[in-house]
Amino acid sequence: MLGRGALLAALASRLGELHEWRSRPAVQQAITGLHMDADAAAAAAQDDDEVVAKIVAHWRMRVAELIDSLGADAVERTVLEEAHALAERAVAEDPFRDLFDQVSLAASRLYADAWQPPVLELEKLIEHPRTPDPNDPYGLTASLARNGEPQVVMQIHHDGLGPAAFAAIPSLLAHECVCHVSARQRGERCNTSVFAEGFMDWAASYFLTIWMPTIDPHLCPAALEHAESFRALLCRPSTPHGAARMRGRRAAERLAAWLMSERRLPAEEARVKVARLAVDLNACDVELAHKDRLVTHMNAYDYDPLFVQLLTAALEDRERASEIVMMQLH
Amino acid sequence: MERLRILTAAVALSEFTVAELCAYSGANESTVRSVLQRDSELLERLDSQEQSGAGRPRGRYRVRDTASIRHELRQFEQNIEMLGAARLEQLPPETTDDRLAALIVAEDTVVRAWDADADGHTRRALAETALESAAQANPPGQGSSATDDELRARAASVSVLADLALRETTLSASDLARANDSLSRLVDVLAPDRLQRLLAAFGRAVAGPRATAPPSTVDLPDDAIYTTAEVEKVAIDIRDRHQVMALA
């Protein structure tokens, strides 16, 4: 897994194109070959350095042969040539931990004293984490466990770590770090909460957009594109988890639109305010039921005066975020 | 561009540390410090007296000139809109998928509300959430297509169950009949595991102190764990009894 990740990290700036051209036989063979070369190298090598060196050598040879077999004007020639050159830069460092450390550092600044430093655990999955689907190239998932300290557990399907899945890793880590690591909700867990899985997910997406250029400028375009595609897969209205994501995210957008239209705030300022409110609410130690009620009310067609008053106070003064969570709407 | 992002984060946060400004703007620390220094007419460091008074961490800054930053930001956003981007403040209208999602949230939340672990405040909050989400699934002025009708019927059933979960007093025989009616309508649309949770929770409520009399229409053992087949049997039983009641 490390070797495969190291090679994909080296290809970061071309992951989007490799995924886009995956139906072309040569690109498809290059991606499949990556899995085979990684398995062969892992079986033969003594240490991480040797694993990565062997994968890179085998894969570059494979890609060179594929390029030679292509016609001069084949559309996939350029992307394979670029990938061949980039692969040489692969180093035997853990790319998963590197991404995790950077996302975690950025999230820690949001939560300041409320931040609980997490650790990353990698696990292999023998099956795709969701129903296998040709339109779901994201063979990974993540969750948060608490064993004294928070543990972000990222599970990766053995054959599922391709260009798209690697590009989606930052969004997965941002979701866990922003939404769950420092969440205070009386120890409750609920993966159908509109607050925890939807409203907070919107904030995680927002932060990923602004953090990614600094975290890894090469990976940034593919990471943002695949964050969006991965999210679209997860936001299915017919499942309770997907529906919660949709409604919570919609509530965040509704609140941002309200700040723009009713409070005449510039769009970007409105988004930062919503993202900040999400962080403040997440740090309030209140049952999820109350946070879910608040988020559901944000989707209302009209905001009543009491709600506007509490909302304004929470947006103006971070110390008052808990008041709006405990409001009595009726 | 990066400067404007930092100023935007500053005006949204109003008062902040360097680390917060990094997190909310995505800029690195040296860039943030450089903007704090260069734009000192817009941003200022709080003096030590104010910091100690508020009990807040050291090294805090605040915005001096909100209006100027917003003016600059609005001009930038207007330029983007003029370049052909959609109006930034517009929220797309709700689609059928949005309404279906609202309904699924309502159905899931009413199950959580009826869950035995939920205490009084939590149950109330969840029941109110289910009611509001059901109302969002069925806003006024919807059409009469088959989808609209289905969403409307399911939202109505969820609303009855959420309304009953809100009751502080014991459930009467007519409450049970209403619940029975709503449950029978949800039998065919709720996922088996959710129906099982709802039936179990409702069974506990019926067997517990919230019921005034032994249930005549729903009779479920307390704390039972049901298999899918058993749930289906109970559900069919409820539906049959409902039909019998309707005929009577």
Side-chain angles (χ1 to χ4, degrees), chain A residues 192 210 264 267 269 297, chain B residues 5 70 74 77 108 128 132:
Chain A
T192 57
I210 61 171
R264 312 305 309 162
E269 184 187 347
H297 196 57
Chain B
R5 193 174 269 290
R70 282 188 179 149
R74 272 196 199 95
E77 290 181 352
D108 181 73
E128 286 174 353
E132 184 153 22

Side-chain angles (χ1 to χ4, degrees), chain A residues 106 109-110 112 188 190 192-194 206-207 209-211 214 237-240 242-244 246-247 250 253-254 257 260-261 263-269 271-273 275-276 279-280 287-290 292-294 296-301 315-319 328-330, chain B residues 2 5 8-9 11-15 19-20 22-29 56-57 60 66 69-70 73-74 77 87-95 97-102 104-105 108-109 112 119 121-126 128-129 132-133 135-137 139-140 194:
Chain A
R109 290 169 167 160
L110 294 176
E188 193 186 353
C190 175
T192 57
S193 158
V194 286
Y206 177 79
F207 289 122
T209 309
I210 61 171
W211 294 343
T214 311
S238 53
T239 67
M246 277 183 74
R247 294 308 287 172
R250 172 97 190 169
E253 285 162 11
R254 166 85 177 87
M260 291 175 225
S261 61
R263 294 298 154 111
R264 312 305 309 162
L265 292 188
E268 202 54 28
E269 184 187 347
R271 292 194 190 103
V272 181
K273 275 193 181 294
R276 195 203 73 177
V279 170
D280 292 344
E287 285 92 347
L288 270 178
H290 299 284
D292 286 345
R293 185 183 60 169
L294 169 64
T296 300
H297 196 57
M298 285 177 191
N299 269 325
Y301 297 94
L315 290 165
E316 297 295 325
D317 183 355
R318 307 184 72 168
E319 311 289 322
Q328 295 297 313
L329 293 171
H330 300 288
Chain B
E2 199 157 31
R5 193 174 269 290
T8 305
V11 79
L13 295 172
S14 180
E15 212 184 287
E20 283 172 328
C22 290
Y24 282 91
S25 68
N28 61 39
E29 192 174 326
R56 286 172 174 159
R60 291 192 72 80
T66 301
I69 296 175
R70 282 188 179 149
L73 187 52
R74 272 196 199 95
E77 290 181 352
R87 276 184 65 78
L88 294 167
E89 69 187 52
Q90 281 179 349
L91 181 69
E94 294 222 322
T95 61
D97 272 356
D98 288 315
R99 292 172 55 210
L100 175 61
I104 300 290
V105 166
D108 181 73
T109 313
R112 288 167 64 195
D119 64 27
H121 291 299
T122 306
R123 177 191 288 253
R124 185 172 181 81
L126 289 168
E128 286 174 353
T129 302
E132 184 153 22
S133 206
Q136 289 165 7
R194 278 162 206 283

Side-chain angles (χ1 to χ4, degrees), chain B residues 184 233-246:
Chain B
S184 68
K233 184 174 175 301
V234 172
I236 290 165
D237 192 35
I238 291 172
R239 189 168 42 193
D240 290 348
R241 290 186 199 199
H242 166 73
Q243 284 166 352
V244 170
M245 283 176 62

Side-chain angles (χ1 to χ4, degrees), chain B residues 29-48:
Chain B
E29 192 174 326
S30 62
T31 312
V32 165
R33 288 195 185 279
S34 155
V35 169
L36 286 168
Q37 208 165 26
R38 274 200 320 241
D39 286 292
S40 56
E41 77 286 3
L42 301 173
L43 311 167
E44 67 180 346
R45 188 173 178 138
L46 285 165
D47 67 43
S48 56

Side-chain angles (χ1 to χ4, degrees), chain A:
Chain A
M1 202 63 83
L2 166 80
R4 212 176 304 182
L7 182 52
L8 288 165
L11 303 177
S13 62
R14 290 295 173 268
L15 292 179
E17 287 88 341
L18 284 170
H19 179 70
E20 196 179 328
W21 292 104
R22 68 193 181 286
S23 59
R24 292 271 171 179
V27 176
Q28 196 176 46
Q29 286 173 48
I31 294 171
T32 313
L34 194 154
H35 297 303
M36 293 192 297
D37 294 339
D39 290 346
Q46 301 293 319
D47 56 34
D48 291 350
D49 286 330
E50 199 182 341
V51 167
V52 174
K54 279 183 185 294
I55 292 175
V56 169
H58 289 167
W59 195 72
R60 291 190 79 227
M61 203 182 300
R62 181 189 295 278
V63 173
E65 285 170 10
L66 287 168
I67 293 169
D68 286 344
S69 71
L70 291 171
D73 54 351
V75 286
E76 64 268 50
R77 173 179 277 277
T78 307
V79 69
L80 286 177
E81 284 174 347
E82 287 168 341
H84 182 263
L86 287 168
E88 203 174 20
R89 299 184 194 171
V91 288
E93 287 169 7
D94 185 342
F96 309 109
R97 209 157 299 277
D98 181 46
L99 286 170
F100 174 73
D101 288 346
Q102 295 194 67
V103 172
S104 176
L105 173 66
S108 74
R109 290 169 167 160
L110 294 176
Y111 286 96
D113 294 342
W115 179 247
Q116 303 164 42
V119 293
L120 177 69
E121 296 289 331
L122 289 179
E123 288 179 2
K124 274 188 191 172
L125 282 178
I126 52 169
E127 290 181 339
H128 193 287
R130 291 166 296 282
T131 311
D133 176 351
N135 295 318
D136 182 354
Y138 307 105
L140 35 75
T141 186
S143 60
L144 188 83
R146 289 190 190 275
N147 189 8
E149 60 194 350
Q151 291 178 324
V152 173
V153 182
M154 189 160 72
Q155 296 178 305
I156 303 174
H157 177 217
H158 181 259
D159 295 330
L161 186 63
F166 188 84
I169 287 175
S171 68
L172 211 57
L173 296 175
H175 176 88
E176 296 304 320
C177 288
V178 173
C179 305
H180 303 314
V181 166
S182 280
R184 297 183 73 213
Q185 52 211 25
R186 306 278 164 98
E188 193 186 353
R189 297 182 68 166
C190 175
N191 72 353
T192 57
S193 158
V194 286
F195 174 79
E197 297 298 331
F199 193 71
M200 287 307 304
D201 185 60
W202 181 91
S205 307
Y206 177 79
F207 289 122
L208 183 73
T209 309
I210 61 171
W211 294 343
M212 207 52 221
T214 311
I215 288 175
D216 186 339
H218 299 297
L219 182 58
C220 180
L224 297 182
E225 181 191 336
H226 286 281
E228 195 59 42
S229 307
F230 193 20
R231 191 173 309 119
L233 265 174
L234 298 177
C235 286
R236 287 180 171 158
S238 53
T239 67
H241 178 252
R245 279 206 178 212
M246 277 183 74
R247 294 308 287 172
R249 293 181 64 87
R250 172 97 190 169
E253 285 162 11
R254 166 85 177 87
L255 180 57
W258 180 82
L259 286 169
M260 291 175 225
S261 61
E262 300 300 315
R263 294 298 154 111
R264 312 305 309 162
L265 292 188
E268 202 54 28
E269 184 187 347
R271 292 194 190 103
V272 181
K273 275 193 181 294
V274 174
R276 195 203 73 177
L277 180 66
V279 170
D280 292 344
L281 294 172
N282 208 26
C284 290
D285 196 10
V286 172
E287 285 92 347
L288 270 178
H290 299 284
K291 297 181 183 181
D292 286 345
R293 185 183 60 169
L294 169 64
V295 167
T296 300
H297 196 57
M298 285 177 191
N299 269 325
Y301 297 94
D302 286 308
Y303 289 175
D304 50 83
L306 172 63
F307 183 66
V308 170
Q309 187 187 331
L310 290 167
L311 192 55
T312 306
L315 290 165
E316 297 295 325
D317 183 355
R318 307 184 72 168
E319 311 289 322
R320 299 185 65 184
S322 61
E323 291 175 22
I324 197 170
V325 189
M326 296 309 294
M327 70 181 175
Q328 295 297 313
L329 293 171
H330 300 288

